[in-house]
Amino acid sequence: MTELSRREALAATALVSLALTVPAWAQDKATPSDMAAWDLGDLYADDAAWDAARKKVLADIPGLLKYKGTLGTSADALAAALIAQSDLGRVAGRVYTYISLKADADLRVSANQEKQAQATDMFTAFGEATSWVAPELLAMGKAKIDGFLAANAALKSRFDFYLADIIRQAEHTLSPEGENLLAGTSSPFSGSRDIREQLVASDIPWPTVTLSTGKQVRLDDQAYTLNRDAPNRADRKLVFDTFWAEYGKFQSSLGAAYLSHVKADIFRKKARKYPTSLAMYLSGSNIPETVYRSLVRETNTGLPQLHRYFDLRRRMLKLPDMAYYDIYPPLVQLDKKVTVPEMRTTVLQALAPLGPDYVATLSKATAAKWMDPLPRPGKKSGAYMNPGAAYDVHPYLLLNLGENYEGMTTYAHEWGHAMHTLFANKTQIYDKSDYPIFLAEIASTCNEQLLAAYMVKQAKTKEEKLFYLGQQLEGIRGTFYRQTMFAEFELAIHDKAEAGEGLSGEKLSATYLDLLRRYHGEKVMVPDTYASEWAYIPHFYTSFYVYQYATCISAASYFARSILKGGAKERDNYLSVLKAGGSDYPVDILKRAGLDMTTGAPYQAVIATFKDTLDQVEALMA
């Protein structure tokens, strides 16, 4: 129904497969290259200890049902039930964390995959044993809950925000029977995503092209990603023309799949009595619609700077004109190896503006065995930080770092997540530590921005400086402008569908093409064929999610600019966001730190950063 917190995502990923983003430390040279570099012994001494903990959780789960029907009898009874649920969930999170990390360290070890499935089953049982809690709380009513809060210290200190949040959503919560019925729609409503994935993975006959190098490429989604930045312009055009034309052949089927997903959203928003699908999806973290709409409005106001960037890109790549297939090649090449220990040293120096406590905490954390930094056969791809499920231990980080600037950026980004978790867990009790997705990317992206500013300042040559500035420009283009374009597409399609406008794959393509051309400007050639790009974006099947990438980089830009230009006050305002964890709604947490996400200020800040970076590049080129 709504946006999940990171810990709620764990329970659900116990239902899918947990993966958020996360950081890294300097690799332990004594660790063999075929082994994970982290030490899971901080969680459990060995598999036997883990299995004993898992079995105890399973044995304790039925005991939660004894509280059913008792919540309204007294404040003490309510506190006892919530404490039992919280304490058992805390242990269950630790159990799941251990085996999910071990399974990801080598996907080829089937025994660990089987144990992870056991942990998933454990979480499923936990969810079933607590599904009655919210409906029973709502049946009690606000007045009774408020009275209980005043009468019991544990309720007031641990569960006041949790209870207030449940009451806030009372009008959108159905009867127990209705909730059970709506829960049953999850599987059939996921069919649209399944159909899309099946079409893309199995049924579309992806064409093969021959590049100027003689290399033959079968252009599926992965190959497109790997070849869209080809150095040869004719190759890029061939890749784009061929790939998007193939998607276009299936726009009717892919359109039917996505529109089925949109109709499911409309069904849910009507069932839960929300005015719009957007309002329903923002409700989880109590995000006002004005945040989303301010983001779209201010981004459109800032499009001239994006158009300016495309012209700068044309000049730097020495192109006679600019086309959509020219947006991915790097502006400047920099073949400079950066080892993991060097990443650690540089990032610690770059983050000095965050203060001695931050740097000392990061220094200690990055020297410990909390991270598995380098790729190896069998290891899970990508990068993530376990989202704080093991509250009583510390974050664990899985990375696959390349020894280059991109790897160092990932290092800084992911350690931002870990530091957010460390500050939140140190400041907040378990029940208020879990920060929502809306805040999650701010700490990571702020680290990236501070690193970029430091690297530009330290650059020894014009080429180096242009490289780092170019990376920063691309980061803002891809994370702010592009994600907002996606967000505007989602909003437009849902608005049209909710207004009863007839839609089809062709109409989706027309809507998307209009956005592509508006965002990229008149001087960037965008052929009609590229209109099918919307069908390539799987994030659209997680409705109204991608806007958070744009809001987070906006907030990060605001804080990074204020920290670099200000002093201790600006730094402490920012750190207060990390320390707040999940103790309040994210918009309110940010507002107390001086940033109102319902206004244009945060979005104007990232556009100002973009403009400043463009100014620096043009000054270097003069």
Side-chain angles (χ1 to χ4, degrees), residues 402-461:
E403 293 186 314
N404 50 28
Y405 179 70
E406 183 180 358
M408 183 159 63
T409 299
T410 301
Y411 182 102
H413 178 105
E414 299 302 349
W415 269 114
H417 287 303
M419 291 296 290
H420 193 169
T421 294
L422 288 171
F423 273 87
N425 289 0
K426 182 180 179 180
T427 310
Q428 303 295 332
I429 60 173
Y430 171 76
D431 305 286
K432 296 182 179 181
S433 64
D434 189 33
Y435 48 89
I437 302 295
F438 190 84
L439 296 178
E441 293 296 332
I442 295 175
S444 55
T445 310
C446 186
N447 275 12
E448 282 191 63
Q449 300 235 343
L450 293 174
L451 174 63
Y454 176 81
M455 297 304 290
V456 170
K457 189 175 180 180
Q458 296 296 315
K460 294 180 173 59
T461 66

Side-chain angles (χ1 to χ4, degrees), residues 258-507:
Y258 182 57
L259 291 171
S260 175
H261 171 78
V262 173
K263 289 173 183 176
D265 284 344
I266 294 173
F267 173 86
R268 290 193 190 97
K269 74 97 177 173
K270 287 180 178 177
R272 294 201 177 279
K273 302 181 180 64
Y274 284 100
T276 63
S277 299
L278 176 63
M280 176 178 69
Y281 278 100
L282 298 184
S283 175
S285 289
N286 200 23
I287 308 296
E289 279 196 50
T290 48
V291 169
Y292 201 102
R293 298 184 187 277
S294 294
L295 167 68
V296 170
R297 183 187 66 248
E298 293 297 336
T299 305
N300 276 271
T301 301
L303 284 178
Q305 295 302 326
L306 181 62
H307 301 163
R308 179 185 166 200
Y309 166 66
F310 289 131
D311 189 59
L312 175 67
R313 167 171 279 276
R314 177 191 64 77
R315 285 181 280 138
M316 290 187 71
L317 294 177
K318 297 180 171 57
L319 299 174
D321 48 40
M322 183 71 186
Y324 191 52
Y325 49 78
D326 295 318
I327 63 175
Y328 291 108
L331 295 175
V332 177
Q333 296 283 354
L334 183 66
D335 297 322
K336 184 178 180 181
K337 182 177 179 179
V338 187
T339 66
V340 178
E342 289 170 341
M343 292 178 193
R344 178 175 184 264
T345 299
T346 302
V347 168
L348 286 171
Q349 293 169 343
L351 300 184
L354 294 179
D357 183 38
Y358 188 100
V359 173
T361 303
L362 179 59
S363 179
K364 183 177 179 180
T366 52
K369 290 187 175 182
W370 296 4
M371 185 190 80
D372 188 9
L374 298 175
R376 63 177 177 278
K379 181 179 174 182
K380 185 178 179 70
S381 61
Y384 69 75
M385 175 197 72
N386 181 278
Y391 174 86
D392 300 295
V393 188
H394 53 71
Y396 278 91
L397 326 171
L398 180 143
L399 295 173
N400 288 276
L401 296 173
E403 293 186 314
N404 50 28
Y405 179 70
E406 183 180 358
M408 183 159 63
T409 299
T410 301
Y411 182 102
H413 178 105
E414 299 302 349
W415 269 114
H417 287 303
M419 291 296 290
H420 193 169
T421 294
L422 288 171
F423 273 87
N425 289 0
K426 182 180 179 180
T427 310
Q428 303 295 332
I429 60 173
Y430 171 76
D431 305 286
K432 296 182 179 181
S433 64
D434 189 33
Y435 48 89
I437 302 295
F438 190 84
L439 296 178
E441 293 296 332
I442 295 175
S444 55
T445 310
C446 186
N447 275 12
E448 282 191 63
Q449 300 235 343
L450 293 174
L451 174 63
Y454 176 81
M455 297 304 290
V456 170
K457 189 175 180 180
Q458 296 296 315
K460 294 180 173 59
T461 66
K462 174 182 172 180
E463 288 68 27
E464 264 193 90
K465 190 166 287 191
L466 284 171
F467 173 81
Y468 296 128
L469 291 169
Q471 292 289 311
Q472 189 171 20
L473 288 170
E474 259 307 285
I476 295 175
R477 181 200 68 79
T479 307
F480 177 72
Y481 282 107
R482 183 169 169 82
Q483 300 302 325
T484 304
M485 182 180 73
F486 291 163
E488 190 170 350
F489 174 78
E490 279 191 272
L491 183 59
I493 297 306
H494 279 79
D495 282 351
K496 291 174 190 289
E498 288 169 9
E501 185 174 328
L503 294 171
S504 63
E506 185 177 355
K507 181 63 73 70

Side-chain angles (χ1 to χ4, degrees), residues 145-224:
I145 288 176
D146 286 345
F148 283 1
L149 279 166
N152 186 282
L155 287 178
K156 189 170 183 60
S157 63
R158 291 181 63 175
F159 302 110
D160 52 342
F161 181 62
Y162 165 77
L163 291 168
D165 193 47
I166 285 180
I167 293 170
R168 175 181 66 85
Q169 300 188 74
E171 66 178 300
H172 305 296
T173 305
L174 310 184
S175 67
E177 295 78 15
E179 286 293 332
N180 186 57
L181 184 64
L182 200 57
T185 65
S186 176
S187 179
F189 281 177
S190 68
S192 56
R193 180 197 298 266
D194 295 340
I195 290 168
R196 187 260 172 199
E197 290 178 352
Q198 199 65 39
L199 273 168
V200 172
S202 302
D203 295 348
I204 295 179
W206 296 110
T208 297
V209 297
T210 303
L211 303 181
S212 61
T213 59
K215 175 185 176 184
Q216 288 196 320
V217 177
R218 179 179 176 270
L219 271 181
D220 58 10
D221 281 13
Q222 183 180 28
Y224 163 73

Side-chain angles (χ1 to χ4, degrees), residues 64 67 80-90 126 130-131 133 162:
L64 296 175
Y67 298 101
L82 294 183
I83 289 170
Q85 174 184 262
S86 173
D87 290 352
L88 189 56
R90 187 166 173 170
F126 178 77
T130 56
S131 62
V133 174
Y162 165 77

